[in-house]
Amino acid sequence: MNGQQQRQAEIVKAVALKAQNQPLLGSGLWFHNDIRDNYYYASYLFAAAVESPAILHDPADAKKKAESVLAKVLQLQQNDPDLPLYGHFPLNLNPSPEQARPHELPVELMGSLMAYFYNRYERELSPELREAFETALRHIYLGGFFRKPLQMFNHHEAKYTAAKIIFGQRYEDRELLEDGINSLQKTIVRVTTQGMPEYGALPWFWHWVQAFTCAWELTSDNSLKQHLAELLDYLWNERSLFYLKGAWVGAHSRVWPHDAPADRNVLHDYVQFGDFPLGEDMPRTEYAGFFCYPAPEAARQRALQRQEPSEVHKQIVKIDTGEEIPLHSYVYVTKDFASGGIWERVKEFDNEQIRWLVSFPVTADNSVNQLTFFHPGEGYRDGDPRHQSEYAQVLYVKNRILTVFPVPEDNPHQEIIGILPKGTWIMEEAGLFGQVQNCYVSILLKGRYSVEELDTYNQVRLHGEPAAIAVEVIGLEEAKLLGILNVSSLAEQFDPTSFTMELLGSQKGTITYRGISSQDILELTSGLYSANPK
């Protein structure tokens, strides 16, 4: 058993024990908020019962419990071909599973994973459950949720493509399989030449990985397996560029609450790389414990050997309502932190986006490991940093980030929100100085600010006309060479004139910044940026 397999076994054990110890609801399921969690928990419990029974209290009872939940999940499928969403499952089961209506999302990912589960455990299933799986998979095939053309090259279409290959092979449907192969080839060309339009989008990136890994596992045709491997190699190379010990660094076009301000969607990273501790919080169990496509060695080395800093520049062509929009991302990655984001700001679905981040490694307690400042936008509420407005002009240069926030006077949100990870922080008139893990952080502020200590992070509220910030991050080793031995000496290094603002009119200004790790003067004016060596 190699390291990846050992980490998968660790995940299977952890989820299976949670499932065994979790009491069932009156419906016979564990959860009513999302049908998929029932399916995933039952899959892990069943796998442990047949492959690692010693880890369970009562393996026979665990297997029986898992089969019962799996059967109840399958019973909720829409099995009448004359009704809408034939072959689909409900998503939210409240107030009761019997009243829940079919939803288009669960089968997208769960359907292919069901094919994998059945292929792997068919012989261990009871005759009744074996028949239920056969019937459910045929309903999925005949329902044909995947019979859609490529248009947006997003995570939905990635799952359609993988499902075409999986179900085309399973039911010897040559036309469907050829459609899947053609879609796969177009996807490879699209992402390798123009990038992934869902940049930094979690958990959707993992849906790409899971869907195509599932197809790779179930494919016996060597030529097709090679094409799937080509796409998976691309995906893991992409992941390694934006990887720092479990953190996904840089801009995010979409995120869930468990992706920000703490990276908790880490199971696939943990299996693949294993260079950070796995906490107890596992919000996306899915099938990380079942299969893993080994990343190319170059990607693994890039992710795991961060001794020298690197800069990642990416151009992404985003497709939005038929229009191709070029975007540019930048991130600076060291062994202790990473900083950067997206240069342009575009409208994203549900405005669940993060323009820029300073990221730190994931820790065992899954504490907040992201630092950012933003102006609240559509969908914002306290405690949710995923909803940011367009009122930010940015400059990213290695370990320094400048942002000015030209917020219109009539905007209902006039304050800028800052998210600070827990650490050692001191407040000065010029700004905030702190230590987070193995880094010193300075945040110079233009405007009036206050800091509130919350349970998992510190929140800054900044007011200015306009407000502006300069963030600089330095690893402890580099800081020592600069004579910085603690947070107090960090604060003493900064001259008040190192961060200046010249107002150009209402809500506009030019900011200049000279840090301590570089003598370059950075200047940001109304969205134009320059770095002028002095």
Side-chain angles (χ1 to χ4, degrees):
M1 184 180 290
N2 61 31
Q4 291 174 343
Q5 293 168 334
Q6 289 175 349
R7 292 189 289 275
Q8 284 182 307
E10 183 182 345
I11 291 171
V12 170
K13 178 180 178 180
V15 180
L17 288 176
K18 283 187 176 183
Q20 186 173 42
N21 295 329
Q22 174 110 355
L24 292 171
L25 302 172
S27 63
L29 299 170
W30 285 296
F31 312 100
H32 280 183
N33 59 309
D34 193 324
I35 191 175
R36 294 172 296 185
D37 289 332
N38 294 286
Y39 176 73
Y40 299 140
Y41 266 51
S43 298
Y44 281 99
L45 185 57
F46 185 91
V50 300
E51 294 181 352
S52 309
I55 70 174
L56 300 171
H57 310 311
D58 185 339
D61 180 71
K63 183 180 179 183
K64 183 179 179 181
K65 186 177 185 180
E67 288 198 318
S68 174
V69 174
L70 288 170
K72 290 183 181 299
V73 168
L74 297 180
Q75 288 168 7
L76 295 174
Q77 184 183 35
Q78 175 64 275
N79 57 17
D80 186 340
D82 294 327
L83 292 178
L85 296 180
Y86 166 54
H88 287 258
F89 298 83
L91 178 61
N92 189 304
L93 305 180
N94 285 313
S96 71
E98 292 74 18
Q99 299 177 50
R101 296 181 177 180
H103 192 284
E104 61 184 7
L105 287 182
V107 78
E108 275 191 18
L109 185 60
M110 202 166 68
S112 293
L113 299 186
M114 283 179 171
Y116 171 86
F117 182 86
Y118 184 65
N119 184 73
R120 178 166 170 171
Y121 294 112
E122 177 183 358
R123 295 181 180 179
E124 285 80 15
L125 296 172
S126 68
E128 297 80 11
L129 189 55
R130 193 181 308 133
E131 182 179 354
F133 261 102
E134 287 277 9
T135 301
L137 289 172
R138 179 161 286 278
H139 287 320
I140 292 172
Y141 165 66
L142 295 175
F145 75 90
F146 39 72
R147 297 179 186 276
K148 298 176 183 178
L150 282 174
Q151 293 177 314
M152 307 298 290
F153 294 92
N154 58 21
H155 64 286
H156 297 293
E157 294 176 3
K159 288 177 284 186
Y160 302 157
T161 296
K164 290 174 185 177
I165 292 170
I166 291 168
F167 287 92
Q169 290 180 111
R170 178 174 181 81
Y171 293 100
E172 298 181 348
D173 185 332
R174 190 64 199 175
E175 183 179 355
L176 178 62
L177 178 58
E178 289 295 337
D179 184 13
I181 294 172
N182 184 51
S183 297
L184 173 65
Q185 292 170 338
K186 289 180 178 179
T187 299
I188 292 172
V189 172
R190 174 60 173 76
V191 299
T192 55
T193 58
Q194 299 187 59
M196 300 183 72
E198 296 172 312
Y199 52 90
L202 302 173
W204 298 274
F205 179 87
W206 295 129
H207 287 184
W208 280 67
V209 169
Q210 287 182 102
F212 289 113
T213 303
C214 187
W216 180 80
E217 287 275 2
L218 293 175
T219 296
S220 56
D221 181 274
N222 289 332
S223 177
L224 177 53
K225 205 174 186 74
Q226 186 175 352
H227 284 301
L228 288 163
E230 182 181 353
L231 180 53
L232 287 164
D233 284 347
Y234 168 83
L235 292 173
W236 281 108
N237 275 310
E238 187 79 1
R239 177 66 191 107
S240 70
L241 291 171
F242 297 92
Y243 178 82
L244 177 64
K245 297 180 181 178
W248 192 299
V249 306
H252 294 63
S253 62
R254 288 199 68 187
V255 286
W256 277 107
H258 55 251
D259 303 313
D263 284 284
R264 295 193 179 100
N265 191 356
V266 298
L267 293 187
H268 290 283
D269 282 334
Y270 183 72
V271 170
Q272 188 72 257
F273 302 119
D275 64 336
F276 61 93
L278 183 64
E280 293 186 6
D281 192 2
M282 291 187 285
R284 288 278 167 174
T285 56
E286 295 177 344
Y287 265 26
F290 286 104
F291 46 58
C292 173
Y293 175 85
E297 186 58 27
R300 283 183 51 79
Q301 290 302 313
R302 182 187 299 116
L304 297 172
Q305 303 297 326
R306 289 287 187 189
Q307 296 308 309
E308 295 298 325
S310 63
E311 294 179 274
V312 180
H313 302 262
K314 280 277 183 176
Q315 176 172 295
I316 305 149
V317 178
K318 182 176 177 62
I319 302 175
D320 189 21
T321 62
E323 180 185 4
E324 294 192 350
I325 304 171
L327 304 174
H328 303 82
S329 71
Y330 170 85
V331 69
Y332 178 71
V333 191
T334 77
K335 64 184 181 65
D336 295 316
F337 72 92
S339 62
I342 199 89
W343 287 106
E344 303 87 356
R345 197 264 188 191
V346 293
K347 185 177 182 179
E348 296 289 358
F349 184 82
D350 281 350
N351 193 34
E352 296 171 343
Q353 60 179 300
I354 296 177
R355 183 77 176 274
W356 60 261
L357 285 174
V358 175
S359 298
F360 304 94
V362 169
T363 57
D365 60 359
N366 289 126
S367 60
V368 165
N369 65 309
Q370 300 169 1
L371 183 155
T372 190
F373 279 74
F374 63 95
H375 175 256
E378 182 182 355
Y380 173 78
R381 62 182 185 275
D382 278 347
D384 186 353
R386 301 174 302 146
H387 304 280
Q388 308 180 4
S389 81
E390 67 271 31
Y391 302 117
Q393 297 164 0
V394 296
L395 171 60
Y396 313 122
V397 181
K398 294 186 176 180
N399 62 326
R400 295 174 290 172
I401 295 176
L402 301 189
T403 310
V404 62
F405 300 96
V407 182
E409 294 179 355
D410 60 352
N411 191 279
H413 295 288
Q414 284 297 311
E415 63 183 10
I416 306 305
I417 302 297
I419 306 295
L420 307 183
K422 293 290 187 179
T424 302
W425 291 97
I426 62 174
M427 299 172 58
E428 300 282 357
E429 183 178 354
L432 295 151
F433 303 89
Q435 180 179 345
V436 177
Q437 298 189 32
N438 293 318
C439 302
Y440 289 121
V441 184
S442 70
I443 305 171
L444 301 190
L445 303 170
K446 289 298 179 185
R448 308 175 306 281
Y449 79 92
S450 62
V451 180
E452 180 183 5
E453 189 170 342
L454 305 180
D455 289 341
T456 57
Y457 60 89
N458 296 328
Q459 181 169 272
V460 181
R461 296 182 184 274
L462 173 66
H463 296 262
E465 297 177 354
I469 65 167
V471 178
E472 184 168 1
V473 191
I474 310 171
L476 296 186
E477 295 174 8
E478 181 183 0
K480 188 175 181 180
L481 298 176
L482 296 170
I484 300 171
L485 303 178
N486 51 47
V487 177
S488 296
S489 62
L490 171 70
E492 292 169 359
Q493 290 276 353
F494 280 88
D495 184 324
T497 63
S498 63
F499 187 39
T500 65
M501 173 182 285
E502 177 186 355
L503 293 179
L504 303 176
S506 177
Q507 306 302 316
K508 293 184 179 181
T510 294
I511 58 175
T512 60
Y513 174 73
R514 183 198 298 272
I516 60 172
S517 59
S518 172
Q519 291 303 301
D520 290 355
I521 295 178
L522 305 184
E523 181 179 291
L524 174 61
T525 303
S526 297
L528 303 177
Y529 56 88
S530 64
N532 303 314
K534 293 291 184 179

